Amino acid sequence: LKIEEIAPKIELSVSVGTNYFIEIAKIRALRYLYAKIIGEYKTENPQPLFIHAQTSSFYNSTLTANTNMLRATTEAMSAAIGGADAITIHAYDEVFRESDEFSERIARN
């Protein structure tokens, strides 16, 4: 297969943690490394990389659920500033119960 056929189908999905500047740098570094790799193939029209970021549930707490909203906000903001093409924000209470309509609405907003 030629690189022109493969490159448009490449999508990376990354989890975004709570370390603000590291997560911004991580997404930007992914774009930089992808551009370097594609550049080695000497293609005429390099396709940009599609990056999907999702908030991490690793740092969420069951004892202080409201702080999970702040964590998700920080994670989503760092993904947006880093240049993610799509961002999935998980509900703040999904680690300890089934998410309800309110928590899903907060995640969407």
Side-chain angles (χ1 to χ4, degrees):
L1 297 173
K2 295 182 181 180
I3 192 66
E4 289 83 10
E5 298 170 4
I6 298 171
K9 297 176 179 153
I10 296 176
E11 176 181 329
L12 291 180
S13 181
V14 295
S15 180
V16 181
T18 57
N19 196 334
Y20 197 70
F21 295 111
I22 296 297
E23 300 303 328
I24 293 170
K26 176 172 67 175
I27 294 172
R28 290 183 178 182
L30 283 172
R31 287 205 186 276
Y32 176 78
L33 290 173
Y34 177 79
K36 286 294 215 183
I37 291 169
I38 293 296
E40 291 298 315
Y41 285 97
K42 310 288 191 255
T43 181
E44 293 177 14
N45 260 345
Q47 295 292 320
L49 176 63
F50 187 88
I51 297 177
H52 171 250
Q54 58 183 339
T55 57
S56 174
S57 61
F58 180 77
Y59 299 101
N60 287 353
S61 171
T62 58
L63 298 175
T64 55
N66 291 334
T67 60
N68 294 341
M69 285 190 266
L70 297 173
R71 287 185 183 104
T73 302
T74 301
E75 293 167 352
M77 188 66 169
S78 60
I81 291 173
D85 296 306
I87 303 171
T88 299
I89 301 171
H90 299 290
Y92 72 95
D93 59 351
E94 75 174 5
V95 293
F96 58 89
R97 69 175 180 194
E98 186 71 29
S99 298
D100 58 2
E101 184 180 330
F102 173 75
S103 61
E104 289 175 0
R105 191 186 81 205
I106 293 295
R108 279 193 307 272
N109 289 346

